[in-house]
């Protein structure tokens, strides 16, 4: 696909959708956020407002509460929001996709409309203290009882915003004997179930987005399993590929707004530290390359290519852009370091996690080497 | 072009490149250069951008430049087939004043190979195999025609460069919009050739990592080697996205937006193509440090290419300026 021309332009129906969305936004602006309102609560109100206009789950089939359009339509909405500095569409696309592909018809009909509307708030219980990069090495165990239900014991980590969530997409081992990749199953876990303890974990930037999840003799019904036993691994791989995708350009626009702020700040100053101007120029290059790259992926998708391991390239490019941008921002606004510390400092700390969350940069390189370049499997250390 | 027609042209160029590639620096001789250029001229690619509307889109031209860059070739596809004809086309749209005396022009650049900012000194005719004259675009858009002189040394052993006469005959003047298009187009085409070189060299080093054994196993099975090649791949993909998009912008967007996209692409390619070739050379190890190996032909191409038309400092300074002030 790299040696024939691609159309980088928006197809006509996307342009129409963009205009419709702009018109709707004009009448439904971003709500005010009271000073004491936690961010996830505010984002949840925004989620419901977007859903009321039909702007959530555009790529989900209509019978499950969506609009039956494509991922590109959803991306267009998120792009438009980003360009206005508004928070994007809630990042539930990958969860919806997992349910669509692995859930039963009954589960899809019951869970998807409530997920899209925000009636149910979801979180993701994948990683564990002992299973980060080596996700398949998880030890949370769902033991099947003769009566048919499961009893789950274990601990999950990095479960974002679990304290504000009602449901968790949980991975647990259902077979201790089978090879790791065939013995993991997925469940819908209601977080108010007896035996579940949620403990927020304070991150380096001071936020309590991440949580620990303790599971002590938690009972799950067979009907709460998604897919068959052993489907958990392919389900997890589907969702992480979606998480790494470059297509979701909503948060890219946020970089663009910051870069223009850096440029203006540098322009207004008489004396600049050595090399700062080229650092800012480099951030602009990283960002615009990312925009071009996302557009290329869109064009490839429209030309019929499906998503695959190349999303690891996308994630590494995103990490490069984000980390370099916030390092530069701290050079332009050094007062962030000796004052109270503002938004830039918080975002800087968050950017340090970019090379860790959603699969570390080393894992992305392994995927590129093995699955894109076809290099031979190495000796196990 | 129709998709089929483009594929046909590209495959013709690919076959030509496979046949006339230099297997090593020792293959580069005056006679082989002449033969290769004659064979390339027979493909008739200089007509692609000469007419209005042009027969090929900028994106198609960029892809052909990429294809040309994949192999170590001495031929002038860029100067004589893609750049000079486009310049004449843009002049026709503006205020063309005089005729061009040569039959086969290439482009002239300032002595340091960059776009001139003021009155340039020490002009060179760039990429001039097969050319008999050179067109120079002055900083303010005036175009003059210059005579070719003695060969000029360059670290890129494949590229034909000659001195050009200081005095030039007036040919015409580009409108401001056409001047932006010209700069964007030149940046995109040059960057594309470098992307082709970097991509091809990384692919060759990936193949080598599969075959070369040390410690009883292919070196490509070692994670240190895998990660180096993965990083090089990411850089090549970034270059590809940026140049392809910039080319599309020239076909579909305003000259100003296209010029920004082209500057971004060249800035990315300037650093990433060189980095990618370094990674490939490290994987090849000792053999890539020899005169016989193609590695240094690729390195020379991307190294000089990174300073051609616009250097990284040139570009980053412009791209750091607030949008409102540009």
């Amino acid at each position: 696909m790299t040696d024939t021309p691609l159309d980088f332009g928006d197809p006509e129906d996307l342009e129409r959708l963009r205009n419709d969305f702009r018109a709707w936004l004009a009448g439904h602006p971003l709500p005010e956020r009271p000073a004491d309102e936690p961010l996830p609560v505010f984002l949840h109100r925004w989620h419901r407002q977007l859903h009321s206009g039909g702007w959530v789950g555009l790529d989900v089939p209509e019978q499950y509460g969506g609009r039956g359009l494509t991922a590109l339509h959803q991306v267009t909405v998120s792009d438009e929001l980003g360009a206005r500095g508004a928070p994007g569409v809630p990042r539930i696309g990958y969860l919806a996709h997992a349910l669509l592909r692995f859930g039963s018809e009954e589960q899809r009909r019951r869970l998807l409309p409530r997920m899209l509307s925000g009636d149910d708030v979801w979180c993701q219980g994948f990683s564990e203290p002992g299973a980060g990069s080596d996700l398949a090495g998880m030890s949370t165990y769902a033991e099947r009882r003769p009566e048919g239900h499961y009893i789950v014991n274990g601990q999950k980590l990095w479960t974002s915003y679990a304290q504000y969530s009602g449901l968790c997409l949980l991975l647990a081992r259902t077979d201790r004997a089978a090879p790791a990749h065939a013995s993991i199953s997925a469940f819908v876990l209601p977080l108010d179930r007896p035996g579940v303890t949620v403990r927020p974990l304070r991150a380096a930037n001071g936020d309590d987005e991440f949580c620990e999840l303790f599971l002590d003799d938690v009972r799950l019904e067979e009907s709460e399993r998604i897919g068959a036993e052993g489907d958990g691994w392919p389900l997890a791989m589907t969702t992480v590929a979606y998480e790494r995708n470059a297509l979701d350009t909503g948060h890219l626009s946020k970089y663009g707004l910051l870069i223009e702020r850096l440029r203006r700040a540098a322009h207004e100053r008489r004396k600049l530290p050595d090399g700062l101007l080229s650092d800012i120029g480099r951030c602009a290059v990283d960002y615009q390359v990312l925009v071009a790259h996302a557009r290329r992926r869109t064009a490839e998708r429209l030309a019929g290519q499906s998503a695959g391991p190349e999303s690891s390239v996308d994630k590494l490019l995103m990490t490069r852009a984000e980390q370099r941008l916030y390092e530069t921002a701290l050079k332009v606004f050094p007062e962030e370091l000796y004052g109270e510390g503002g938004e830039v400092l918080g975002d800087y700390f968050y950017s340090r996690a970019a090379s860790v969350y959603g699969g570390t940069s080393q894992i992305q390189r392994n995927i590129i080497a093995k699955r894109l370049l076809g290099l031979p499997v190495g000796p196990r250390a | 072009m129709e998709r089929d027609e483009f594929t046909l042209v590209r495959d013709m160029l690919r076959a030509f490149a496979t046949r006339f590639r230099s297997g090593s620096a020792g293959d580069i001789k005056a006679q082989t250069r002449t033969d290769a250029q004659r064979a390339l001229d027979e493909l008739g690619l200089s007509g692609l951008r000469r007419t209005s509307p042009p027969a090929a889109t900028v994106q198609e031209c960029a892809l052909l430049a990429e294809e040309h860059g994949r192999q170590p070739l001495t031929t002038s596809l860029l100067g004589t087939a893609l750049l000079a004809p486009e310049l004449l086309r843009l002049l026709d749209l503006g205020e063309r004043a005089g005729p061009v005396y040569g039959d086969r022009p290439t482009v002239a650049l300032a002595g340091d190979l960059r776009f001139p900012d003021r009155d340039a000194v020490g002009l060179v005719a760039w990429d001039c195999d097969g050319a008999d004259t050179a067109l120079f675009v002055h900083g303010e858009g005036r175009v003059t025609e210059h005579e070719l002189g003695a060969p000029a040394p360059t670290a890129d052993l494949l590229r034909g460069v000659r001195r050009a006469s200081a005095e030039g005959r007036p040919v015409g003047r580009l409108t401001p919009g056409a001047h932006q298009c010209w700069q964007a187009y030149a940046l995109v085409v040059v960057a594309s050739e470098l992307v082709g070189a970097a991509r091809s060299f990384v692919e060759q080093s990936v193949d080598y990592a599969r075959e070369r054994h040390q410690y009883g196993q292919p070196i490509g099975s070692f994670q240190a080697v895998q990660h180096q090649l993965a990083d090089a791949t990411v850089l090549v993909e970034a270059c590809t996205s940026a140049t392809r998009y910039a080319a599309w912008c020239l076909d579909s967007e305003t000259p100003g937006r296209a010029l920004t996209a082209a500057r971004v692409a060249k800035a990315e390619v300037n650093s990433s193509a060189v980095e990618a070739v370094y990674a490939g050379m490290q994987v090849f190890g000792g053999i890539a440090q020899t005169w016989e190996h193609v590695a240094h032909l690729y390195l020379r191409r991307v190294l000089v290419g990174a300073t051609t038309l616009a250097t990284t400092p040139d570009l980053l300074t412009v791209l750091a300026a607030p949008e409102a002030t540009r």
Side-chain angles (χ1 to χ4, degrees):
Chain A
M1 278 310 283
T2 51
D3 57 1
T4 44
L6 285 172
D7 186 0
F8 286 82
D10 278 351
E12 213 175 298
D13 67 323
L14 286 186
E15 207 45 56
R16 208 161 38 234
L17 182 91
R18 192 184 286 273
N19 289 333
D20 289 350
F21 184 52
R22 277 183 189 157
W24 181 86
L25 264 184
H28 302 78
L30 188 69
E32 292 279 324
R33 179 181 168 196
D36 58 346
E37 186 177 52
L39 182 65
V41 176
F42 171 71
L43 291 178
H44 188 236
R45 284 202 289 131
W46 179 228
H47 175 169
R48 284 180 173 283
Q49 182 174 321
L50 286 169
H51 180 265
S52 72
W55 304 108
V56 180
L58 270 67
D59 52 342
V60 171
E62 288 175 75
Q63 66 266 38
Y64 309 125
R67 284 173 65 179
L69 302 171
T70 69
L72 298 176
H73 292 89
Q74 190 67 69
V75 165
T76 304
V77 166
S78 130
D79 192 40
E80 196 56 36
L81 287 170
R84 288 149 190 266
V89 177
R91 293 184 59 106
I92 51 176
Y94 63 96
L95 290 167
H97 198 82
L99 280 175
L100 278 172
R101 182 146 163 218
F102 293 94
S104 67
E105 180 61 15
E106 185 276 325
Q107 285 170 332
R108 284 184 291 214
R109 284 191 186 274
R110 179 163 49 86
L111 297 170
L112 279 169
R114 291 178 56 84
M115 176 191 283
L116 299 183
S117 65
D119 287 342
D120 288 332
V121 178
W122 285 68
C123 61
Q124 181 190 339
F126 285 13
S127 305
E128 297 182 5
S133 288
D134 182 14
L135 185 63
M138 68 179 60
S139 58
T140 294
Y141 186 57
E143 187 189 353
R144 186 154 191 170
R145 290 297 164 87
E147 304 90 305
H149 65 269
Y150 295 87
I151 297 295
V152 189
N153 280 285
Q155 186 188 346
K156 293 288 170 182
L157 191 60
W158 314 127
T159 307
S160 293
Y161 295 127
Q163 71 275 47
Y164 300 100
S165 304
L167 296 175
C168 176
L169 179 64
L170 179 78
L171 293 184
R173 198 168 287 284
T174 40
D175 187 341
R176 283 197 170 112
H181 293 188
S183 62
I184 293 169
S185 304
F187 298 90
V188 188
L189 166 69
L191 289 170
D192 57 2
R193 189 69 48 97
V196 177
T197 310
V198 172
R199 194 165 76 191
L201 187 75
R202 202 158 195 220
N205 65 356
D207 286 351
D208 55 0
E209 167 178 341
F210 305 122
C211 292
E212 291 177 288
L213 204 61
F214 298 92
L215 306 165
D216 298 302
D217 289 330
V218 177
R219 179 179 165 135
L220 280 172
E221 303 307 320
E222 195 178 357
S223 61
E224 289 170 320
R225 194 186 65 226
I226 301 172
E229 281 197 2
D231 276 355
W233 185 256
L235 179 145
M237 291 305 101
T238 306
T239 61
V240 294
Y242 265 73
E243 264 184 304
R244 290 169 191 153
N245 215 303
L247 283 183
D248 185 3
T249 49
H251 66 287
L252 291 194
S253 320
K254 188 179 147 194
Y255 303 164
L257 296 173
L258 177 59
I259 288 166
E260 191 56 13
R261 237 180 95 197
L262 300 184
R263 284 167 168 159
R264 280 200 306 268
H267 187 70
E268 282 157 14
R269 273 178 225 173
R270 267 191 223 114
K271 202 172 167 330
L272 288 174
D274 281 348
L276 190 59
L277 215 52
S278 50
D279 286 348
I280 295 173
R282 175 64 63 193
C283 291
V285 171
D286 285 347
Y287 163 64
Q288 304 221 29
V289 167
L290 212 50
V291 170
H293 187 72
R295 279 185 166 264
R296 174 174 153 213
R297 290 286 185 244
T298 307
E300 287 174 348
R301 215 51 54 80
L302 285 168
Q305 207 166 311
S306 58
E310 81 287 345
S311 63
S312 291
V313 172
D314 309 354
K315 173 148 194 258
L316 288 173
L317 281 176
M318 201 123 61
T319 302
R320 172 183 93 164
E322 184 169 325
Q323 295 190 336
R324 235 169 5 197
L325 172 58
Y326 286 103
E327 277 170 50
T328 305
L330 280 188
K331 289 187 205 161
V332 178
F333 304 119
E335 58 277 15
E336 290 269 335
L337 287 171
Y338 43 76
E340 282 269 297
E343 201 187 332
V344 170
L345 184 65
D347 287 348
Y348 162 81
F349 275 109
Y350 205 90
S351 78
R352 298 315 306 163
S355 48
V356 176
Y357 60 64
T360 64
S361 293
Q362 292 93 320
I363 293 289
Q364 310 303 339
R365 291 184 179 106
N366 286 349
I367 294 171
I368 292 169
K370 296 199 177 73
R371 295 183 57 200
L372 283 183
L373 304 180
L375 287 168
V377 175
R380 286 267 170 191
Chain B
M1 274 187 263
E2 292 295 320
R3 178 63 58 106
D4 293 354
E5 196 187 342
F6 173 74
T7 312
L8 204 70
V9 172
R10 188 203 62 206
D11 290 349
M12 258 169 29
L13 182 62
R14 195 174 281 178
F16 156 83
T18 313
R19 176 148 177 240
F20 287 94
R21 69 186 289 275
S22 304
S24 85
D27 291 352
I28 305 170
K29 298 190 179 82
Q31 189 57 48
T32 53
R33 293 190 85 111
T34 313
D35 294 345
Q37 190 64 44
R38 192 170 299 132
L40 178 65
D41 291 348
E42 279 168 13
L43 300 183
L45 301 177
S46 60
L48 290 177
R49 289 296 290 184
R50 186 62 193 92
T51 54
S52 282
T57 63
V58 175
Q59 196 180 172
E60 286 164 341
C61 293
L63 284 166
L64 295 177
E66 219 178 292
E67 197 65 49
H68 190 264
R70 289 182 59 85
Q71 304 284 359
L73 290 167
T74 57
T75 39
S76 163
L77 172 76
L78 268 49
T80 57
L82 297 180
L83 289 173
E86 171 74 354
L87 179 55
L88 290 171
R89 188 185 74 85
L90 288 168
L91 274 170
D92 287 340
L93 301 174
E95 305 157 40
R96 178 89 184 260
V100 172
Y101 295 95
D103 290 326
R104 200 163 171 80
T106 185
V107 290
L109 299 172
D112 61 2
L113 302 182
R114 287 154 72 195
F115 284 132
D117 31 17
R118 281 175 216 88
D119 275 337
V121 283
L123 293 193
V124 291
W126 182 81
D127 206 34
C128 56
D129 275 43
D132 59 2
T133 186
L135 302 172
F136 181 64
V137 182
H138 295 255
E140 75 301 341
R142 200 159 47 85
V143 180
T144 47
E145 183 184 11
H146 299 254
E147 279 160 31
L148 303 193
T154 163
D156 182 351
L157 304 176
L158 299 164
R159 185 83 66 201
V161 182
R162 300 168 75 111
R163 307 223 176 273
S165 60
E167 294 301 311
R169 288 183 290 266
V171 175
R173 180 187 283 276
L174 293 168
T175 62
H179 192 198
Q180 283 186 317
C181 284
W182 161 249
Q183 291 192 323
Y185 178 83
L187 288 169
V188 164
V189 168
V190 168
S192 296
E193 196 184 41
L194 304 178
V195 176
R199 180 179 287 281
S200 164
F201 189 67
V202 170
E203 285 169 8
Q204 291 171 46
S205 58
V206 168
D207 289 342
Y208 183 77
R210 281 201 208 96
E211 291 155 16
R212 168 76 173 166
H213 280 62
Q214 289 287 270
Y215 304 100
Q217 42 195 326
I219 60 168
S221 68
F222 300 125
Q223 204 174 39
V225 174
Q226 291 184 345
H227 284 194
Q228 197 154 31
L229 289 170
D231 284 340
T233 302
V234 171
L235 295 176
V236 169
E237 292 299 327
C239 292
T240 304
S241 297
T243 46
R244 297 285 298 277
Y245 175 65
W248 176 85
C249 282
L250 264 162
D251 291 322
S252 320
E253 299 269 357
T254 61
R257 289 183 74 138
L259 182 53
T260 299
R263 282 171 169 153
V264 166
K266 184 67 170 41
E268 179 65 44
V269 171
N270 280 356
S271 49
S272 295
V274 175
E275 276 302 314
V277 171
Y278 285 163
M281 284 180 84
Q282 187 65 22
V283 169
F284 272 110
I287 191 74
Q289 316 302 321
T290 64
W291 184 255
E292 287 74 25
H293 200 270
V294 288
H296 72 105
L297 297 180
Y298 282 98
L299 178 58
R300 287 163 183 274
R301 171 127 294 180
V302 295
L303 202 57
V304 178
T307 67
T308 303
L309 303 181
T311 64
T312 303
D314 292 342
L315 295 163
L316 294 188
T317 312
V318 176
L319 293 168
E323 269 166 27
T325 64
R326 262 181 255 157

